[in-house]
Amino acid sequence: MSQRIHPPGAKRHRPLPNRGRLAVAICLAFGSAAFAQAQETERTATLDAITVTSQKRSENLQDVPISLQVLDAQKLDELNITNFEDYVKYLPSVSYETGGPGFAKIYMRGVASGGDGNHSGSLPSVGVYLDEQPVTTIQGPLDIHVYDVERIESLSGPQSTLYGASSQAGTLRIITKKPDTSGFEAGYSVGVDKTSSGGSGHVAEGFVNQPLGDSAALRVVAWKEKEAGFIDNVRGTRTYPSWDADSGGNGTENNFDLARDDYNSIDTEGFRAAARFELGDRWTITPTVMHQRQESPGFFAFDPQVGDLAVTHFNPEGGEDRWTQAALTIEGKIGNFDVTYAYANLDRDVDTESDYSDYAFWYDTLAGYGAYFYDNDSALVNPSQYIQAVDGYKRDSHEIRFSSPQDNRWRFVGGFFFQQQDHDIQQRYKIDGIADTLTVTGWRDTLWLTKQFRQDDDKAVFGEFAFDINDSLTATIGGRHFRVDNRLKGFFGFSAGYSSRTGEAACFDQTDFNGAPCINLDKGVKESGNIGKANLSWKIDDDRMLYLTWSEGFRPGGINRRGTLPPYLSDYLTNIEFGWKTTWFENRLAFNGSLFRQDWEDFQFSILGANGLTEIKNANQAQIDGLEMDLNWAATYNLNLSAAVAFYDAKLTENYCGFTNASGVPVTNCPTPEAPSGTQLPVTPEFKGTAQARYSFDFADGEAYWQLAASRVGERTSDLRLRERAILGNLAAYTTVDFSVGYRRNDWSLDLYAGNITDERAEVSKFTACAETVCGAPGVVPEYPNGQVYTNTIRPRSIGLRFSQSF
């Protein structure tokens, strides 16, 4: 996955995405290898050396004793990767759920509880970094457009020693190309594409690198992309029993004004500007600013009972995600020590509208919900609900790090880290025309209001020491001492006229809170602790290494948005791993892998509880056993083959009873657990694998190529809890196949690609709009005999053409 052929004098070209069935890719590749070896015996090929900074130092990938996969700049181009869903497909250790762009939940190595963590949930278990700076907000990571990127590093297993709380199960690092003082460089790319059962898209990208004298340079990158929609909002009606009864048979709404095809297009535009200033031979300063705006109207799942890639929704929905990150990196030397200071300020605003009519319809059908909603004249109103949300995220982080000379027998890297994350939460659950007595004071038509402010502070000191016992054996020990302080304050609930127990009726402070009528929640948790890491690596020779690692990861606890629930506790992950890094046949083949066991203690589990609010509980213990392997082979000077696989056995080792005691500690002894010991964890398949074959050849004074790639994802369970799992059903296994061909001559290239050529309707996740036992209840509503369960899927078959040029 991380290396490829790079023969002297070989021309490089920009390819397009390919994914092929594993067997097809391997058969085609081996057949081409035999032909190429017979025709081109005079040339030889080796694998490129890949430099990474995963351990806060520059090192060769094959010398780093951790499980690590890399997609470098050429591979990113070859696979036509532009966003998160593109690159995660080629990282077998990574699984995910998503509700649309910018809302991905990332999991690594089976450390996945699934569930619903909407809005302000627990912190992610996988950290995402842009260069030196974390870009994982409380909601989740930024969906960064991938262009002019040096590489993407995927670090599997706990990385909390060097990367902190949100790297409990692993870390993803996006490393951008930096300003270069050596000379002018520029390039651009334009493309068009068509999605099967959907619309058309286009992309335009470009960069300029301009030296500013001998010791400074500026690099500016910009992009604008439209991703075609493929979900249709089809015309339909919905009758609410309570409203219908009151209005003499007229309690029916329709979506005729909102119905349209290709409902979920995505428009993305942004830029990145970075400068580099060299202060003599020992210090550099690199300020960077990156901005992106993403508009995504519509809905990113389909209702199979409405039709393939179709829904019938009755209220406006969509979102706009705007963010800006300003960063500053200072690198230099004090004596023989390397010093790095990294600062980042992230400001993210997400405005969303969500159709919530499913919730209203199912509760009205089952419990006469609509009979409670009337106007000021006491006439029942349409009980259809929708949500308007405004979420503001801010993050400031500082890290100062010191590294001793890398060629010393004793080596050290360590430093100090501080960050503050804020989440300004505003959610309005609205029903048009309801009476003033049912409306939260000061918020027209708002049945329920969440107006809260969350702050997560994290301070840490960290370090790793390495000692060369002899020329081939190295021992490393590391640790991190952390202190976290998480607080949640504000208002949540109904008006005093609607509920005599919650919302305004439960306020203990009548002070206005950011426009909310009063305060009914003000809680916080503080904790401190230590985590560690130990590693022993044995360099058998220059081409082969074995290593053994023990490491820990953690994730802080916090306060539930529904303040009547107890806090949720920190969860910890302990990993024991044996791995190998090897190259063979004069650096023509690389074979790496790791075998591990992870114990997950009191893991945090999010569910969609009463009133559609996230509830976070601890769910006892789990164990994950796994094997990861990747292989890269320079079969000939112009044929490269690669494959990667991951096998996981992720199961509960104690009962999940579904409740905790008053202190938030999970209860294990219950007569009918919601998930008994031995239950498979959700989301992560037992098998995920990828394979790629790329063949290039001289043609018409240039270079042509074909490329085939495949990704296989095994069957997964949809939920931890057995009852909810039975309602949602399992997520079926799927295989995606991509194919591309292209031609490069001089400074330009042309690529034709087809993604998901078998038009696979892959099931990424399944969910309901309210508790599964309500919205997913089978046999209750005639038009939904199996309940109303949505399926998130990948993009259908797409075909595109791209032209690129560099100067």
Side-chain angles (χ1 to χ4, degrees):
M1 295 293 296
S2 59
Q3 296 133 323
R4 74 197 52 74
I5 303 169
H6 182 35
K11 299 176 181 178
R12 297 191 180 190
H13 45 92
R14 176 168 191 136
L16 299 134
N18 319 332
R19 302 135 198 153
R21 300 187 184 277
L22 296 175
V24 174
I26 294 171
C27 288
L28 285 175
F30 275 85
S32 297
F35 174 79
Q37 286 173 328
Q39 297 295 318
E40 300 286 353
T41 58
E42 74 281 5
R43 297 188 184 181
T44 61
T46 60
L47 296 171
D48 284 344
I50 304 296
T51 299
V52 297
T53 54
S54 54
Q55 295 192 119
K56 309 287 189 177
R57 297 176 180 271
S58 293
E59 301 171 280
N60 187 303
L61 168 67
Q62 293 300 104
D63 294 331
V64 181
I66 63 174
S67 182
L68 172 64
Q69 284 188 291
V70 179
L71 301 172
D72 69 2
Q74 186 175 343
K75 182 66 76 173
L76 293 170
D77 279 349
E78 289 176 357
L79 295 172
N80 197 44
I81 288 171
T82 62
N83 58 38
F84 167 77
E85 290 193 35
D86 288 339
Y87 68 75
V88 74
K89 176 165 50 177
Y90 297 102
L91 302 174
S93 64
V94 183
S95 301
Y96 73 101
E97 297 177 298
T98 182
F103 291 93
K105 303 178 185 71
I106 307 174
Y107 310 107
M108 293 184 75
R109 279 195 169 176
V111 182
S113 58
D116 190 316
N118 67 352
H119 294 94
S120 195
S122 54
L123 288 172
S125 64
V126 174
V128 180
Y129 277 68
L130 179 65
D131 295 320
E132 292 284 344
Q133 293 80 19
V135 291
T136 306
T137 64
I138 292 170
Q139 173 63 31
L142 305 178
D143 190 1
I144 297 170
H145 182 80
V146 179
Y147 178 70
D148 199 50
V149 166
E150 189 67 38
R151 64 185 180 276
I152 294 176
E153 299 178 2
S154 175
L155 290 64
S156 300
Q159 306 296 326
S160 293
T161 303
L162 292 180
Y163 292 97
S166 287
S167 291
Q168 177 192 46
T171 301
L172 296 175
R173 304 181 69 230
I174 301 172
I175 311 299
T176 62
K177 293 185 178 180
K178 303 301 187 293
D180 186 353
T181 60
S182 64
F184 174 82
E185 184 184 8
Y188 70 92
S189 177
V190 292
V192 294
D193 59 77
K194 178 69 173 69
T195 296
S196 176
S197 305
S200 299
H202 56 263
V203 62
E205 307 161 316
F207 76 92
V208 175
N209 182 88
Q210 176 64 60
L212 305 173
D214 295 332
S215 58
L218 177 68
R219 194 177 191 97
V220 178
V221 186
W223 57 90
K224 185 177 178 64
E225 181 181 23
K226 180 181 179 63
E227 297 178 64
F230 53 87
I231 302 293
D232 299 336
N233 190 20
V234 301
R235 290 164 64 96
T237 61
R238 170 168 272 171
T239 298
Y240 294 87
S242 296
W243 186 32
D244 178 64
D246 181 75
S247 58
N250 296 320
T252 299
E253 67 173 344
N254 66 66
N255 70 341
F256 298 164
D257 292 339
L258 296 173
R260 72 174 188 272
D261 293 341
D262 309 330
Y263 195 45
N264 63 326
S265 60
I266 305 171
D267 289 288
T268 304
E269 58 186 16
F271 72 88
R272 184 176 74 246
R276 178 181 176 88
F277 301 98
E278 298 175 351
L279 307 180
D281 297 330
R282 298 174 66 88
W283 291 89
T284 62
I285 300 175
T286 307
T288 305
V289 62
M290 185 172 181
H291 172 79
Q292 184 172 284
R293 177 175 173 269
Q294 200 167 52
E295 284 189 291
S296 51
F299 190 66
F300 286 82
F302 69 96
D303 183 345
Q305 295 186 106
V306 174
D308 181 38
L309 302 177
V311 296
T312 299
H313 280 188
F314 296 89
N315 291 292
E317 52 193 343
E320 182 178 348
D321 186 356
R322 308 174 305 278
W323 56 265
T324 301
Q325 173 157 292
L328 175 67
T329 303
I330 301 174
E331 299 170 288
K333 284 184 174 294
I334 298 179
N336 289 329
F337 277 74
D338 293 320
V339 181
T340 302
Y341 168 71
Y343 165 74
N345 172 266
L346 174 64
D347 193 343
R348 182 186 188 189
D349 294 297
V350 183
D351 301 337
T352 58
E353 289 188 301
S354 306
D355 178 46
Y356 209 42
S357 60
D358 292 352
Y359 176 96
F361 172 74
W362 283 86
Y363 274 94
D364 188 43
T365 302
L366 296 177
Y369 160 97
Y372 298 102
F373 304 116
Y374 47 85
D375 61 20
N376 287 331
D377 296 323
S378 300
L380 290 183
V381 300
N382 181 353
S384 179
Q385 249 189 85
Y386 59 99
I387 305 170
Q388 292 179 340
V390 179
D391 289 277
Y393 305 90
K394 295 184 184 298
R395 179 173 190 154
D396 277 287
S397 64
H398 304 261
E399 180 175 299
I400 184 166
R401 187 172 69 246
F402 303 90
S403 303
S404 63
Q406 197 160 343
D407 55 358
N408 284 359
R409 188 176 183 185
W410 280 95
R411 297 180 297 280
F412 164 78
V413 58
F416 306 92
F417 177 80
F418 166 76
Q419 71 173 359
Q420 178 178 307
Q421 299 187 74
D422 299 335
H423 183 187
D424 191 351
I425 309 165
Q426 177 182 303
Q427 291 179 293
R428 302 176 64 183
Y429 291 70
K430 300 181 68 175
I431 299 176
D432 290 337
I434 56 174
D436 294 340
T437 55
L438 304 180
T439 298
V440 175
T441 302
W443 296 79
R444 182 181 178 88
D445 295 334
T446 301
L447 176 68
W448 175 287
L449 174 68
T450 300
K451 190 69 173 173
Q452 296 173 341
F453 186 80
R454 172 176 172 174
Q455 182 172 309
D456 290 40
D457 293 343
D458 183 4
K459 301 175 183 178
V461 56
F462 63 92
E464 287 189 1
F465 295 86
F467 175 63
D468 294 332
I469 299 172
N470 54 40
D471 290 341
S472 60
L473 199 61
T474 299
T476 302
I477 187 169
R480 190 181 190 97
H481 175 73
F482 62 87
R483 295 179 181 273
V484 294
D485 183 359
N486 303 330
R487 300 202 60 83
L488 187 63
K489 180 179 181 179
F491 173 85
F492 70 101
F494 299 107
S495 70
Y498 186 77
S499 172
S500 60
R501 297 179 297 106
T502 63
E504 292 188 59
C507 284
F508 53 79
D509 185 339
Q510 299 304 315
T511 304
D512 175 277
F513 183 81
N514 294 339
C518 51
I519 298 172
N520 59 13
L521 173 63
D522 188 359
K523 292 184 178 181
V525 293
K526 294 182 179 181
E527 60 182 314
S528 62
N530 303 286
I531 55 172
K533 173 185 176 180
N535 176 275
L536 185 65
S537 61
W538 176 31
K539 193 78 171 176
I540 301 173
D541 55 36
D542 289 342
D543 297 324
R544 282 163 283 276
M545 177 180 67
L546 303 177
Y547 66 88
L548 184 65
T549 295
W550 170 85
S551 56
E552 293 180 305
F554 84 104
R555 183 168 48 163
I559 304 300
N560 271 288
R561 194 155 61 97
R562 184 191 299 277
T564 53
L565 296 175
Y568 52 95
L569 307 176
S570 299
D571 58 359
Y572 289 81
L573 184 71
T574 303
N575 172 64
I576 299 177
E577 176 177 344
F578 167 74
W580 62 93
K581 297 283 184 75
T582 65
T583 56
W584 306 83
F585 312 123
E586 297 181 345
N587 200 33
R588 292 185 60 181
L589 185 145
F591 176 49
N592 302 333
S594 62
L595 182 68
F596 63 88
R597 166 165 288 183
Q598 299 183 137
D599 291 310
W600 198 10
E601 180 183 352
D602 294 336
F603 66 87
Q604 297 166 13
F605 180 48
S606 300
I607 66 171
L608 206 59
N611 307 114
L613 285 186
T614 296
E615 298 180 1
I616 306 169
K617 303 177 181 180
N618 293 89
N620 299 318
Q621 322 304 317
Q623 179 178 289
I624 304 107
D625 296 326
L627 171 65
E628 299 167 347
M629 297 181 291
D630 63 84
L631 182 146
N632 295 274
W633 180 29
T636 70
Y637 85 97
N638 58 349
L639 175 66
N640 193 47
L641 307 176
S642 59
V645 295
F647 300 88
Y648 299 114
D649 182 19
K651 294 180 180 178
L652 287 178
T653 54
E654 291 187 11
N655 293 337
Y656 171 60
C657 292
F659 56 93
T660 65
N661 63 23
S663 300
V665 177
V667 174
T668 61
N669 187 15
C670 53
T672 55
E674 295 188 20
S677 176
T679 298
Q680 181 181 347
L681 298 184
V683 181
T684 300
E686 293 184 350
F687 171 81
K688 182 180 178 181
T690 67
Q692 300 154 43
R694 182 179 180 84
Y695 181 75
S696 58
F697 54 94
D698 295 335
F699 179 76
D701 296 326
E703 183 184 70
Y705 78 93
W706 62 258
Q707 182 173 278
L708 186 66
S711 177
R712 173 71 177 178
V713 177
E715 185 179 24
R716 294 134 292 145
T717 58
S718 55
D719 199 282
L720 178 68
R721 301 158 296 173
L722 299 188
R723 183 182 180 188
E724 284 74 8
R725 180 184 298 184
I727 292 171
L728 296 173
N730 283 351
L731 304 171
Y734 65 91
T735 301
T736 59
V737 182
D738 295 353
F739 182 74
S740 64
V741 294
Y743 175 73
R744 180 180 181 90
R745 183 174 180 180
N746 299 325
D747 62 356
W748 62 269
S749 62
L750 185 67
D751 303 282
L752 175 68
Y753 59 90
N756 189 14
I757 60 178
T758 58
D759 202 23
E760 190 86 6
R761 202 66 76 238
E763 297 178 343
V764 175
S765 61
K766 292 182 178 180
F767 65 95
T768 58
C770 62
E772 290 85 355
T773 52
V774 178
C775 288
V780 175
V781 180
E783 57 263 49
Y784 292 102
N786 300 313
Q788 193 168 8
V789 177
Y790 291 97
T791 300
N792 281 113
T793 187
I794 64 173
R795 181 170 295 277
R797 179 176 56 246
S798 59
I799 299 175
L801 183 68
R802 181 186 292 260
F803 177 83
S804 304
Q805 190 171 19
S806 59
F807 307 95

